[in-house]
């Protein structure tokens, strides 16, 4: 009889917890099956999501047969509850990471209706499953130690109220709880000076963690409609930010496929200028500006330390600001459902992508509107960047989607170069900052003219993906969002119609269609990009098709997972594809929700029901 390896939990069947330093994925069966330690872009400690046999996991679950599983978040927090429901009892596991800098993962089991037997199984596989851990008992749990590739030693501790045993390189234990009783485990990095990881710590840290998230949410301003969806998206974006560095990760994971069984398996645990800037647009619209200041400080440090090449800005950085992100493969992992190779690092880090200047300058623009003019030292760097861009905006590149094909003059890059210079002009004018405004005005207007004359294809009836092309790209949906074109302009209405006919399937939108003239250099047909789907909703709303936009927005909600989270892409049957959770998806959800909310509440005459008031500057990118 042929035996098959176990299948991982589906990508979309996860919740996520984090401490603004790293994140862990938690499946409904109680498994933490993905965790990078100690940072989000560090090697994995658990990765059974990428290889159920070799990846390692940390499971805490109710053991009775036939128990149903449900997951919820405590309202307005990133504290995850996994519930186990059976005819003879109900059990619950609370998972969270304290925001105290300890790097701990706290897991607490409780018998809601008992008795309930819980089991723990910890199978550590550090350093991408390349290091052999050494397990040893301690007075209240166990120590796990290993040697890193550089020869240094690392130790973590599991503190628990459950008796443990060591079995074949794993830690295991069981406990039966009567109704109302609790048990806990705390996974702790080997750091000195922290509070003991005992029952009191679990209780106190739970309250402090809940308060942190409640206070953060209370500081925001959320729309009247779809508040819970927007709050969950905002909390997810916040989890992707680094409290230590100010950087923002694109997603929590690496190696999860855009095509199951295919090669489109990338590492998204890094700070893309583009993704981070888009994240800041979304958060600033909800009244969160501290994140924008921290990111701009992070990025200006990178520019200041650059080696003097052209702009001093590259498309992505490590979360600590490192510039080298060499892409390698991990042959020891079988890949999610056979999707290989599993890659870490990202070979696109040294690509030229001209659009990043537009996203970055719009983030700066939003920050200056909220916090006032930039310092002169910062402005000197920014104005130098714009001067460079004025001379180089025409350069071909790999585009916003990081094609691994040949360089082209992409619409996305040309459009965002226009945004960069336009926002710089606005900052200089509003804040009376020194600038060569005559040059900037001339080049901005020249870019606008080239887009209208060189990217418009009258036969297609749309602005096309690249100069002189005949194919469409969903990035064209940004044109009215960045206020490059009036959404009622006949050229835009025609473009929107062409997008609907070519890239849209109900509420799902493809980035582009691979073809001979625009092949991205990779095999396989990817899924539907969720960010593009929300862009489409917003473009419809801005163009006046509010009823249609609302319907499609509601349909997109049906594709969210059980917790309101999204991966990068969707298949036609609703499966989540790509890395998870994906920041771009959640920020575009926020933007679309705000625009729809405004459209639905703008004509209400009762001030008590005036709805959500737009708080961002009307000239901002969204």
């Amino acid at each position: 009889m042929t035996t098959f390896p176990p299948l991982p939990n589906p990508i979309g069947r996860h919740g996520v917890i984090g401490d603004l330093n790293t994140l862990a994925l938690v499946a409904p069966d109680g498994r933490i099956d993905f965790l990078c330690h100690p940072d989000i872009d560090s090697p994995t400690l658990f990765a059974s999501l990428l290889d159920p046999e070799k990846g390692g996991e940390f499971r805490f679950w109710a053991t009775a047969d036939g128990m149903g599983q449900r997951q919820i978040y405590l309202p307005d927090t990133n504290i995850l509850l996994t519930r186990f429901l059976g005819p003879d009892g109900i059990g619950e596991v609370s998972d969270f990471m304290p925001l105290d800098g300890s790097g701990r993962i706290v897991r607490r089991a409780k018998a809601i209706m008992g008795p309930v037997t819980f089991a723990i199984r910890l199978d550590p596989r550090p350093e991408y499953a390349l290091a052999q851990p050494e397990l040893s008992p301690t007075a209240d749990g166990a120590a796990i130690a290993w040697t890193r590739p550089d020869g240094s030693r690392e130790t973590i501790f599991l503190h628990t109220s459950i008796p443990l045993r060591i079995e074949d390189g794993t830690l295991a234990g069981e406990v039966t709880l009567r109704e109302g009783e609790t048990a806990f485990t705390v996974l702790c990095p080997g750091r000195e000076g922290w509070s003991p990881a005992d029952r009191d710590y679990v209780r106190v840290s739970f309250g402090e963690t809940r308060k942190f998230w409640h206070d953060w949410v209370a500081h925001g301003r959320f729309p009247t409609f779809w508040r819970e969806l927007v709050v969950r998206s905002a909390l997810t974006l916040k989890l992707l930010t680094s409290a230590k560095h100010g950087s923002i990760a694109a997603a929590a994971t690496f190696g999860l496929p855009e095509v199951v069984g295919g090669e489109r398996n990338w590492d998204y645990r890094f700070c893309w200028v583009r993704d981070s800037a888009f994240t800041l647009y979304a958060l600033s619209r909800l009244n969160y500006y501290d994140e924008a200041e921290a990111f701009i400080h992070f990025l200006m440090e990178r520019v200041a330390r650059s080696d003097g090449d052209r702009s001093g800005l590259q498309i992505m950085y490590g979360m600590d600001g490192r510039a080298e992100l060499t892409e390698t493969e991990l042959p020891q992992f079988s890949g999610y459902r056979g999707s290989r190779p599993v890659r870490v690092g990202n070979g696109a880090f040294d690509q030229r992508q001209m659009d990043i200047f537009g996203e970055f300058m719009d983030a700066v623009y939003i920050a200056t509107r909220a916090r006032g003019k930039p310092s002169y030292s910062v402005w000197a760097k920014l104005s130098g960047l714009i001067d460079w861009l004025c001379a180089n905006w025409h350069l071909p590149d790999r585009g916003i989607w990081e094609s691994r094909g040949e360089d082209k003059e992409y619409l996305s890059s040309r459009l965002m170069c226009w945004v960069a210079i336009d926002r710089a002009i606005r900052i200089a004018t509003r804040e009376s900052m020194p600038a060569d405004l005559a040059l900037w005005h001339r080049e901005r207007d020249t870019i606008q003219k080239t887009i209208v004359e060189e990217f418009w294809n009258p036969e297609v009836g749309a602005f096309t993906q690249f100069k002189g092309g005949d194919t469409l790209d969903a990035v064209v949906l940004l044109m009215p969002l960045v206020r490059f074109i009036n959404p009622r302009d006949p050229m835009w209405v025609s473009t929107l119609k062409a997008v609907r006919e070519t890239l849209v399937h109900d509420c799902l939108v493809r980035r582009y269609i691979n073809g001979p003239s625009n092949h991205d250099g990779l095999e396989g047909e990817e899924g539907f990009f969720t960010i593009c789907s929300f862009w489409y909703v917003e473009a419809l709303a801005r163009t006046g098709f509010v009823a249609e936009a609302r319907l499609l927005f509601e349909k997109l909600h049906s594709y969210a997972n059980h917790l309101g989270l999204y991966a990068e892409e969707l298949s036609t049957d609703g499966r989540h594809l790509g890395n998870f959770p994906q920041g771009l998806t959640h920020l575009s959800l926020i933007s679309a929700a705000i625009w729809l909310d405004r459209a639905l509440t703008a004509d209400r005459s009762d001030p008590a029901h005036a709805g959500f008031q737009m708080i961002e500057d009307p000239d901002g990118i969204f």
Side-chain angles (χ1 to χ4, degrees), residues 443-494:
E443 294 305 314
R444 181 195 62 178
D445 295 347
T446 300
I447 294 173
Q448 184 172 20
K449 185 177 181 181
T450 66
I451 292 174
V452 173
E453 294 180 354
E454 298 174 359
F455 290 82
W456 174 261
N457 186 320
E459 295 182 4
V460 178
F463 293 99
T464 55
Q465 184 178 26
F466 51 86
K467 179 179 175 179
D470 58 3
T471 56
L472 289 176
D473 187 327
V475 78
V476 75
L477 296 167
L478 285 176
M479 294 183 80
L481 275 60
V482 301
R483 290 178 171 79
F484 176 86
I485 193 169
N486 189 314
R488 307 302 175 92
D489 188 302
M491 296 178 80
W492 167 249
V493 175
S494 177

Side-chain angles (χ1 to χ4, degrees), residues 131-457:
Q132 181 63 43
E134 302 163 13
L135 310 182
S136 56
T138 63
D140 63 346
I144 304 105
W146 68 90
T147 301
R148 289 174 166 172
D150 63 5
S152 62
R153 293 285 287 176
E154 173 79 358
T155 303
I156 60 175
F157 297 92
L158 182 69
H159 302 275
T160 181
S161 60
I162 302 172
L164 292 179
R165 60 187 180 276
I166 299 175
E167 297 177 342
D168 299 325
T170 67
L171 298 171
E174 298 85 26
V175 64
T176 298
L177 302 178
R178 292 177 295 182
E179 188 169 314
E181 290 184 333
T182 63
F184 71 89
T185 69
V186 183
L187 189 66
C188 302
R191 301 171 184 169
E192 298 180 355
W194 294 102
S195 303
D198 55 17
R199 196 175 294 273
D200 285 341
Y201 173 80
V202 172
R203 176 181 55 81
V204 171
S205 63
F206 180 90
E208 291 176 344
T209 303
R210 180 173 56 186
K211 183 178 185 303
F212 175 93
W213 291 118
H214 280 174
D215 289 348
W216 190 81
V217 170
H219 185 69
R221 299 178 189 172
F222 295 94
T224 302
F225 290 91
W226 306 294
R227 179 188 182 277
E228 290 187 5
L229 285 167
V230 174
V231 168
R232 179 52 48 202
S233 289
L235 285 165
T236 303
L237 294 180
K238 180 63 175 176
L239 280 180
L240 293 171
T241 67
S242 169
K244 186 189 306 181
H245 302 293
S247 49
I248 305 172
T253 59
F254 67 89
L256 296 179
E258 298 175 15
V259 182
V260 173
E263 65 171 336
R264 298 170 182 260
N265 316 314
W266 312 113
D267 190 346
Y268 279 6
R269 301 170 299 156
F270 304 124
C271 179
W272 269 257
V273 172
R274 174 190 310 112
D275 297 46
S276 300
F278 279 139
T279 298
L280 300 181
Y281 309 149
L283 291 179
S284 65
R285 299 180 73 182
L286 301 174
N287 200 41
Y288 297 111
Y289 292 100
D290 291 345
E291 293 78 6
E293 288 188 357
F295 172 69
I296 290 170
H297 178 74
F298 166 84
L299 210 55
M300 294 313 299
E301 284 189 335
R302 310 284 81 74
V303 174
R305 296 175 186 176
S306 64
D307 58 8
D309 83 318
R310 51 184 196 271
S311 68
L313 191 64
Q314 65 182 50
I315 70 165
M316 72 175 90
Y317 298 90
M319 294 297 284
D320 60 358
R322 68 188 185 280
E324 290 285 333
L325 303 173
T326 304
E327 187 174 298
T328 59
E329 298 178 3
L330 302 179
Q332 67 271 26
F333 285 149
S334 62
Y336 176 87
R337 302 197 174 190
S339 303
R340 303 179 74 178
V342 176
R343 298 182 177 92
V344 293
N346 198 301
F349 77 90
D350 59 355
Q351 284 187 359
R352 180 168 61 223
Q353 296 176 20
M354 300 296 289
D355 69 283
I356 63 172
F357 304 106
E359 289 104 0
F360 175 52
M361 285 306 301
D362 202 72
V364 173
Y365 178 70
I366 290 171
T368 61
R369 290 291 290 161
R371 304 297 201 193
K373 66 169 59 183
S375 69
Y376 281 97
S377 61
V378 168
W379 181 250
K381 287 285 184 181
L382 293 176
S383 60
L385 183 152
I386 297 301
D387 289 341
W388 178 89
L389 190 61
C390 283
N392 293 279
W393 55 260
H394 60 281
L395 292 174
D397 67 351
R398 298 298 177 89
I400 194 172
W401 305 125
E402 298 178 358
S403 169
R404 301 225 169 177
E406 63 182 28
D407 286 4
K408 293 184 173 70
E409 292 184 55
Y410 283 97
L411 173 66
S412 58
S413 301
R414 192 65 56 86
L415 175 67
M416 298 312 292
C417 285
W418 177 89
V419 169
I421 301 174
D422 178 76
R423 301 319 188 248
I425 291 171
R426 293 175 187 273
I427 296 171
T429 303
R430 179 173 286 117
E431 304 297 343
S432 300
M433 304 298 286
D436 188 347
L437 287 175
L439 170 67
W440 293 5
H441 275 284
R442 184 178 70 248
E443 294 305 314
R444 181 195 62 178
D445 295 347
T446 300
I447 294 173
Q448 184 172 20
K449 185 177 181 181
T450 66
I451 292 174
V452 173
E453 294 180 354
E454 298 174 359
F455 290 82
W456 174 261
N457 186 320

